[in-house]
Amino acid sequence: MEKRKLGRDGPNVSLICLGTMTFGEQNTETEGHAQMDCAVDAGVNFLDTAELYAIPPKPETQGSTEQIIGSWFKARKNRDKIILATKVMGRSGMTWFRDDRSPTRLNKTQMSEALEKSLKRLGTDYVDLYQIHRFDPNTPIAETMEALHDIVKAGKARYIGASSMFAWQFAQMQHTADMHGWTRFVSMQNHYNLVYREEEREMIPYCIN
């Protein structure tokens, strides 16, 4: 399995990353473990999940995917061999994620709570890549980026990334981090395939540049 550096200064990851958003809904814990075993046997060292999962999102299954990955780590005792990515919810109207039942936002308080819950479900004290799951126009960018920087400084994430946003939003967040000397994103995870190729217009050229 070919490996590449994630971003400019991130970890070396397998060319294929195993997405896990079906674990806990379409796939059982046993099936999830089997899929991760198969991926590792093929040379994959990169797993992606999110506090949102399983998909479709609903209170009954929220966090189940992270729990399944956590039980797999416990059974296989291989946490140190895996590059683990998870995500914190951006702006949404869903109210079952936070203890105070507020809609999700990328502010410091909510991100701290979200990460602690993810770490507990995953059975680990750090994640390799912590990503924001969509843009949050209701929270100042500086607050979000400083919170992510503090998470990295605390050793609870090695790197940070983003998911599902426009190029101008991603660029503005990187610029804010640069202005303050905070941790930069090493990755962007967006919707991209042979049918949906919008990312070729701005996001991919921006990342290459």
Side-chain angles (χ1 to χ4, degrees), residues 37-162:
D37 287 340
C38 181
V40 169
D41 289 344
V44 172
N45 74 339
F46 192 15
L47 301 180
D48 178 72
T49 186
E51 67 165 337
L52 173 69
Y53 301 159
I55 294 294
K58 53 188 177 182
E60 297 80 13
T61 58
Q62 186 263 315
S64 61
T65 302
E66 290 182 326
Q67 289 175 334
I68 290 172
I69 294 172
S71 67
W72 182 72
F73 282 145
K74 184 176 181 179
R76 303 297 186 267
K77 301 195 170 24
N78 62 351
R79 172 66 187 93
D80 60 331
K81 296 179 174 61
I82 299 296
I83 303 298
L84 174 64
T86 194
K87 298 185 278 294
V88 55
M89 276 296 294
R91 184 188 67 163
S92 83
M94 292 178 278
T95 59
W96 58 82
F97 289 84
R98 307 293 173 248
D99 290 340
D100 64 2
R101 314 305 286 180
S102 59
T104 58
R105 299 289 185 265
L106 289 177
N107 59 50
K108 188 169 187 176
T109 300
Q110 285 209 25
M111 292 172 70
S112 177
E113 178 186 339
L115 179 58
E116 292 304 321
K117 288 179 176 178
S118 286
L119 292 175
K120 183 176 181 179
R121 288 189 291 262
L122 290 162
T124 184
D125 56 4
Y126 75 99
V127 293
D128 296 283
L129 178 65
Y130 199 48
Q131 304 159 103
I132 58 172
H133 212 168
R134 304 187 186 281
F135 188 70
D136 177 10
N138 296 101
T139 301
I141 286 175
E143 180 176 353
T144 299
M145 297 308 295
E146 185 176 22
L148 288 168
H149 179 66
D150 289 345
I151 285 169
V152 173
K153 282 199 306 180
K156 295 183 178 183
R158 295 174 61 204
Y159 304 97
I160 59 172

Side-chain angles (χ1 to χ4, degrees), residues 187-204:
S187 62
M188 163 52 65
Q189 182 189 127
N190 262 12
H191 185 197
Y192 177 54
N193 55 47
L194 288 175
V195 176
Y196 184 85
R197 302 178 63 175
E198 180 62 28
E199 302 312 295
E200 294 174 0
R201 189 186 308 275
E202 292 188 0
M203 183 63 77
I204 292 176

Side-chain angles (χ1 to χ4, degrees), residues 135 141 145 167-177 179 206:
F135 188 70
I141 286 175
M145 297 308 295
W168 72 265
Q169 296 167 335
F170 189 54
Q172 193 169 11
M173 299 187 89
Q174 290 285 56
H175 179 62
T176 300
M179 283 195 306
Y206 170 72

Side-chain angles (χ1 to χ4, degrees), residues 12-30:
N12 290 320
V13 297
S14 51
L15 186 62
I16 293 173
C17 174
L18 179 66
T20 60
M21 68 182 186
T22 61
F23 297 178
E25 178 64 33
Q26 292 97 329
N27 294 123
T28 64
E29 180 179 52
T30 299

